[in-house]
Amino acid sequence: IDPRTGEVLAMVSHPTFDPNQFAIRIHRNEWNKLITDPDHPLMNKTIQAQLAPGSMFKVIVSLAGLQQGVAQNLTVDCQGGIRLYGHWFGCDQHHGVVDIEKAIPWSCDSFFYVLATKLGIDTIARYAHEVGIGRRTGVDLPDEASGLMPSTEWKLRVLHQKWYPGETPSVGIGQGAVQVTPIQMARAVAGIASGGVLEWPHVVFQNQLSRRMREQIREEFPGTRNATVQESTSTWETITDAMYKTVNGGPFATAHQDRLKGIDFAGKTGTAQVVSESAGANRVSSVLARRANGWFVGITPRRNPDIVVVVLWEHGGWGSGAAPIAAKVIEAFVDKQRQLHHNLVTDEKARLDVGAVWSDTQHPNAFGGKPLPGLAREGVNPALSSVRGGHFWVKIPAEAAAQLP
């Protein structure tokens, strides 16, 4: 999506179905295949898949922690996990002493277990709701799902049970009862990276519709619409800089292999367990159905982004597996924009088209030297035989290319 306008630039759900099957009358056998397919081809997963976001949700928890003044001074010693409420909550690495600036790019579960515990479920839920988690965005497409953001009130109302503090750490890493849709997560991160301004996602150009049609769309597709979240400059900078380090940091950074040369690319990985296994598993299951879902949200540039891309790879195993997909989309988008503005740069070099004429003083016929056999016979001046011409490309530094008209 374009965070500046809310325009949905591209939307893909796979596997899908052939709409020609429904043109006249779909055969019963084909219909049964579609409705029994475990990959749910009839579902538009971009707006209907409601799944745990995994570590992508740490961006939301970071927003709450920084705005509450808790995360700035918090350090946690990660020894492959941490013990809280008499239970061991695992992390996939021994990160050592971690603060907020390392916790996001390293995706340290231990840090966010502690941060979530200090904040409490209702504080996390309040900030999550402000950026649209657990609520429909109102995108102008049918049957958008709402997702779920748990709270003490929700559990009491729906399950008739009290919320136990030991449930909060899992929510802090995007597990537990929290569920999001891809478009919901895209809008939330877009808003945080845009200084708290959340635009309404839409696929129809609103300025091409009459006022009556615009009002009708708002009635038929209810949601959170445009919103503004109070977000301090330091919060904004801390989160987006940490997301930049997720891609451009050291070996602990969870997407460090997906940096893009010459592009201010930032993001956050998410690995969400789909079975009752502890977080922090360091192996991908050999059974496809037991593999975690891989998420990634990518933005460029890191502040006031031009584009936000969310990738959900069901049973992908790790969020780092979804990151290269988003990186390719980001790179294609940036290259296209640079082409449109005649500023395409590749591999930190630009090519300059050059035509030239020059004299080759080393040629045997140069400047009246002994002519080649048959040259004088054809009436060619030997002195002119040293003149050369060519058409070729010269590589120049990207900084110099930026100055070219």
Side-chain angles (χ1 to χ4, degrees):
I1 64 174
D2 183 339
R4 301 164 298 182
T5 63
E7 294 177 16
V8 177
L9 304 175
M11 181 178 284
V12 178
S13 181
H14 181 80
T16 185
F17 60 93
D18 182 1
N20 291 318
Q21 292 178 306
F22 294 85
I24 302 177
R25 184 177 180 181
I26 189 170
H27 192 276
R28 179 181 297 177
N29 292 340
E30 295 299 322
W31 173 249
N32 286 334
K33 286 181 183 178
L34 289 174
I35 62 175
T36 58
D37 190 325
D39 291 327
H40 307 293
L42 293 175
M43 175 187 288
N44 183 353
K45 297 179 178 66
T46 58
I47 65 171
Q48 294 175 325
Q50 303 177 92
L51 298 168
S55 293
M56 270 200 321
F57 192 71
K58 292 171 182 175
V59 176
I60 312 298
V61 180
S62 297
L63 171 68
L66 291 166
Q67 288 295 94
Q68 289 292 111
V70 176
Q72 292 89 334
N73 302 314
L74 179 63
T75 58
V76 174
D77 186 9
C78 172
Q79 296 299 320
I82 198 162
R83 187 169 296 279
L84 297 168
Y85 305 110
H87 179 75
W88 179 256
F89 292 87
C91 184
D92 64 346
Q93 298 283 348
H94 287 67
H95 292 112
V97 178
V98 179
D99 59 11
I100 185 67
E101 294 181 357
K102 295 177 181 177
I104 294 176
W106 293 359
S107 201
C108 178
D109 290 343
S110 299
F111 181 90
F112 286 96
Y113 292 141
V114 175
L115 178 58
T117 300
K118 288 181 175 295
L119 292 172
I121 186 62
D122 289 334
T123 299
I124 297 172
R126 175 162 60 87
Y127 282 94
H129 284 151
E130 285 185 355
V131 294
I133 299 299
R135 297 178 177 181
R136 295 183 181 90
T137 65
V139 63
D140 44 348
L141 291 170
D143 303 318
E144 180 188 9
S146 61
L148 173 64
M149 182 61 225
S151 64
T152 54
E153 183 275 333
W154 166 82
K155 190 175 182 186
L156 190 61
R157 173 171 51 84
V158 176
L159 302 179
H160 308 292
Q161 298 173 358
K162 64 177 292 187
W163 183 272
Y164 294 98
E167 298 176 80
T168 305
S170 294
V171 173
I173 63 166
Q175 296 280 172
V178 61
Q179 295 181 349
V180 302
T181 63
I183 196 169
Q184 208 175 75
M185 203 67 208
R187 179 173 179 263
V189 174
I192 294 172
S194 299
V197 179
L198 292 92
E199 297 291 337
W200 166 54
H202 56 275
V203 297
V204 176
F205 288 109
Q206 297 298 297
N207 58 2
Q208 297 179 5
L209 302 177
S210 66
R211 179 179 177 181
R212 181 178 178 183
M213 291 184 69
R214 289 198 301 269
E215 292 176 351
Q216 188 174 355
I217 286 176
R218 290 176 180 273
E219 291 174 0
E220 291 187 5
F221 303 100
T224 53
R225 301 296 167 179
N226 294 343
T228 301
V229 178
Q230 295 302 317
E231 181 180 332
S232 69
T233 301
S234 60
T235 294
W236 183 33
E237 292 178 349
T238 298
I239 292 176
T240 52
D241 285 345
M243 290 176 66
Y244 178 80
K245 293 176 184 175
T246 298
V247 179
N248 300 279
F252 265 147
T254 55
H256 70 278
Q257 295 180 330
D258 301 295
R259 63 175 63 89
L260 299 174
K261 292 182 179 180
I263 298 176
D264 186 13
F265 179 35
K268 183 68 192 81
T269 54
T271 304
Q273 279 70 34
V274 295
V275 293
S276 298
E277 295 176 353
S278 63
N282 55 18
R283 292 188 303 110
V284 175
S285 175
S286 59
V287 181
L288 180 63
R290 295 174 66 86
R291 292 180 187 171
N293 293 326
W295 289 85
F296 184 81
V297 55
I299 62 177
T300 188
R302 77 186 87 171
R303 287 193 269 277
N304 290 321
D306 299 328
I307 185 174
V308 173
V309 178
V310 165
V311 174
L312 162 62
W313 183 6
E314 291 186 281
H315 305 296
W318 292 99
S320 57
I325 303 172
K328 290 181 181 295
V329 177
I330 293 282
E331 187 172 36
F333 173 84
V334 172
D335 282 349
K336 182 176 182 179
Q337 295 305 307
R338 287 174 174 172
Q339 276 185 323
L340 292 173
H341 293 88
H342 308 290
N343 189 31
L344 181 61
V345 178
T346 58
D347 296 330
E348 297 183 350
K349 298 283 186 180
R351 299 193 305 168
L352 184 63
D353 187 10
V354 174
V357 177
W358 70 98
S359 296
D360 183 359
T361 59
Q362 303 302 315
H363 194 278
N365 294 327
F367 304 107
K370 184 178 179 181
L372 293 173
L375 192 62
R377 185 172 62 247
E378 296 177 6
V380 178
N381 186 339
L384 296 179
S385 66
S386 64
V387 177
R388 298 287 180 264
H391 174 87
F392 48 91
W393 296 95
V394 174
K395 288 185 177 182
I396 59 176
E399 310 84 65
Q403 305 301 318
L404 293 175

